[in-house]
Amino acid sequence: MSVTDGVGLIELDRPERRNALNVALCGAIVDAVGSVLADGARAVVITGSGSSFCSGADFGEVYTDGFRDALYAALHAVTDAPVPVIAAVNGPAIGAGTQLAIACDLRVGAPEAVFGVPTARIALAVDPWTVHRLAQVAGGGTARSLLLACAQVDVALAHARGLVDRLGDRAVALELAAEIATLAPLTLTYNKLALDRTDLPADDPALVTAFEACWESADLVEGQHARAERRSPVFTGR
């Protein structure tokens, strides 16, 4: 875990288990997201060590009390982060690995990336949030294929269908995060909230407050000045 020039990097580090999620690792994700935000990250990259992004839930713990709570706490820590989060999918993202990837706002896929949600093979189930999120991100057809046929989607098909936003490795993901880190933070926070909370009415106080904050910000003035002066703006999130 580190923050460099406004970009936070979180690496899942259980290569001996192909970064399978257990209670401890889920808790570490929650803590890591909080830490990089506290250190000033304006964009975050999540990736895996070794050859896998995340092989899914650790079957040594998936059936134990507390695992589901730990898993969904980790997923929502990622989704609820007020800055864009990018999954650098460096290898297989299966089951909970696909859940983690779609909890992120954007996905960069390496050639080895593959996605799958084979819960019907083992009589497990993902929550409705995951189902809806998968359909929103990858489209209904892809979601049905993954959930009903237990299909696996390789990186080329994932890119064609919108599940992967860019092709490339960790360096590409970090480059994208660096680009995002220069953008107006208040605008990104509002955009993310509006995209993720489509259940909110247009006059919801949280949406209205975030929207108005953009129009009342010092960054808006900075954007005006930078445009007039023909220079790149320097946004502060205020």
Side-chain angles (χ1 to χ4, degrees):
M1 179 187 66
S2 62
V3 178
T4 304
D5 296 329
V7 175
L9 175 63
I10 297 171
E11 183 178 64
L12 308 183
D13 192 21
R14 293 187 77 204
E16 74 286 356
R17 298 290 295 170
R18 295 181 297 160
N19 302 319
L21 297 181
N22 59 7
V23 171
L25 185 52
C26 289
I29 291 171
V30 174
D31 292 341
V33 171
S35 293
V36 296
L37 292 175
D39 288 342
R42 293 191 181 184
V44 179
V45 172
I46 297 178
T47 193
S49 60
S51 60
S52 292
F53 175 72
C54 174
S55 62
D58 189 323
F59 283 98
E61 294 191 18
V62 70
Y63 301 104
T64 61
D65 292 340
F67 176 77
R68 280 193 295 166
D69 288 342
L71 172 62
Y72 290 111
L75 297 179
H76 289 291
V78 172
T79 302
D80 295 342
V83 304
V85 182
I86 302 164
V89 186
N90 56 300
I94 306 300
T98 288
Q99 288 181 280
L100 180 59
I102 65 172
C104 297
D105 300 292
L106 299 167
R107 283 146 298 281
V108 174
E112 300 80 13
V114 61
F115 301 85
V117 189
T119 49
R121 296 189 188 280
I122 48 177
L124 291 177
V126 294
D127 67 322
W129 174 86
T130 296
V131 176
H132 296 157
R133 180 84 166 186
L134 186 59
Q136 179 193 47
V137 168
T142 301
R144 287 175 181 272
S145 180
L146 289 168
L147 293 167
L148 300 182
C150 291
Q152 287 195 352
V153 175
D154 65 19
V155 71
L157 183 57
H159 186 235
R161 294 187 176 180
L163 179 54
V164 165
D165 300 282
R166 290 193 185 183
L167 299 173
D169 57 9
R170 179 187 302 198
V172 173
L174 289 170
E175 181 181 358
L176 174 59
E179 295 171 8
I180 290 172
T182 67
L183 303 177
L186 294 177
T187 302
L188 293 177
T189 297
Y190 164 73
N191 287 348
K192 179 169 176 173
L193 179 64
L195 284 166
D196 288 348
R197 295 300 308 275
T198 55
D199 58 320
L200 295 178
D203 60 352
D204 179 85
L207 281 177
V208 172
T209 298
F211 175 74
E212 294 296 343
C214 299
W215 285 93
E216 296 169 359
S217 68
D219 280 347
L220 178 68
V221 177
E222 166 63 8
Q224 290 177 302
H225 289 168
R227 183 177 178 83
E229 296 164 10
R230 299 178 181 273
R231 60 174 174 83
S232 298
V234 178
F235 296 120
T236 62
R238 294 192 294 271

